[in-house]
Amino acid sequence: MQSGKSAAQTVATVKPLQIRGRTFTAIALHLSGRPDRAFFEALEARLNQTPLFFDNAPLVIDLEQAQGLDGPQDLVHLAAELRRRKLSVFGIQSGTPTQARAAAEAGLISLPGGRDAALERVSRQGSRPEPAPAAAAKEPANRMVTQPVRSGQTVFADRGDLVVVGSVSSGAEVIAAGNIHIYGRLRGRALAGVNGDASARIFCHALDAELLAIAGLYRTSENLGPDTPRHHVQVYLEGEVLRIEALA
């Protein structure tokens, strides 16, 4: 009995596999030794400064200074603890050959050591990197972005205010240690005062945000009622309450 199509004809009807390159920005978690209770407490404190910002963020564990973390069970436990905190661990970097083998047994891939980018320059969609500030500069440093922040991008001013001359798209994130000024429509996430500055404020021309946060207290779009002002507004903390009001 013969089939109506030969094997060659059948194979020819299968669509070829398409392989496309894509760039993702991953967070690198640097370890200086075996993580203990104090380490996880410090990590949780850092994560709580920017609610939802690190949720499901792709993450690699940098083992350059993590001597003694060599066994598969060590990495399995560490990965489980990080994933429990909604960090999506997928690999290690800068590991020794022993650590690379342990990572493989733990289901993690091994990457070469990468060049770290300051968080304020993290961009998941092709922003041109900017010159790094001097390492010794600790004084407040405001940042201005003169183009729209597109979906998938993150812009972080870690020592001052952030000014965006344009809109912030849905799926984008703008974060600042100080105030955030948006001369356009805010559709994405805005997190001000991320280092604990409860006096920080968010200003925008048009409000349609996915998330608003100041000093760790936040409201999502589901919490913005129909009576919420939407044009020329400011967002600020009053005690433990996040207020949104129209600018006079």
Side-chain angles (χ1 to χ4, degrees):
M1 183 176 178
Q2 294 185 346
S3 170
K5 292 184 179 180
S6 68
Q9 289 175 316
T10 301
V11 171
T13 63
V14 177
K15 291 184 179 180
L17 175 67
Q18 292 186 343
I19 300 176
R20 297 181 178 178
R22 188 171 181 182
T23 300
F24 292 92
T25 295
I27 299 168
L29 177 65
H30 292 258
L31 300 180
S32 56
R34 187 181 297 274
D36 53 14
R37 181 176 178 179
F39 166 82
F40 287 113
E41 288 177 352
L43 176 63
E44 288 179 354
R46 180 66 184 88
L47 296 177
N48 288 336
Q49 289 181 358
T50 52
L52 302 183
F53 175 66
F54 291 102
D55 280 9
N56 299 313
L59 181 142
V60 295
I61 305 168
D62 190 291
L63 299 177
E64 185 174 8
Q65 300 179 8
Q67 295 82 4
L69 198 67
D70 299 323
Q73 292 306 314
D74 294 330
L75 293 175
V76 167
H77 173 72
L78 175 58
E81 288 295 319
L82 295 173
R83 287 166 180 155
R84 190 167 66 83
R85 292 165 174 83
K86 297 184 178 180
L87 293 170
S88 300
V89 185
F90 68 91
I92 67 163
Q93 70 177 24
S94 305
T96 64
T98 300
Q99 290 171 328
R101 288 191 294 271
E105 293 184 42
L108 301 172
I109 66 173
S110 183
L111 302 170
R115 179 183 177 186
D116 292 336
L119 190 55
E120 71 245 33
R121 283 171 204 80
V122 170
S123 171
R124 301 189 185 94
Q125 286 190 352
S127 289
R128 180 175 297 176
E130 299 177 7
K138 297 296 182 183
E139 69 277 3
N142 300 330
R143 183 178 182 189
M144 178 179 290
V145 177
T146 57
Q147 57 189 5
V149 183
R150 297 182 176 86
S151 179
Q153 288 185 302
T154 295
V155 180
F156 190 8
D158 67 344
R159 297 195 312 277
D161 292 359
L162 174 62
V163 179
V164 179
V165 184
S167 299
V168 178
S169 298
S170 176
E173 296 166 312
V174 288
I175 306 170
N179 305 305
I180 296 176
H181 305 260
I182 301 171
Y183 295 96
R185 181 173 295 276
L186 169 60
R187 291 189 176 93
R189 299 178 178 181
L191 300 88
V194 294
N195 293 330
D197 183 2
S199 67
R201 299 193 176 206
I202 300 169
F203 304 89
C204 67
H205 279 192
L207 177 66
D208 193 17
E210 295 170 338
L211 180 142
L212 299 166
I214 296 177
L217 295 178
Y218 66 93
R219 294 175 67 177
T220 63
S221 57
E222 291 81 6
N223 305 129
L224 303 180
D227 57 340
T228 301
R230 297 288 180 170
H231 298 283
H232 298 94
V233 302
Q234 65 171 331
V235 184
Y236 63 94
L237 278 183
E238 188 175 79
E240 295 294 306
V241 179
L242 201 66
R243 301 290 189 191
I244 303 173
E245 67 177 30
L247 292 167

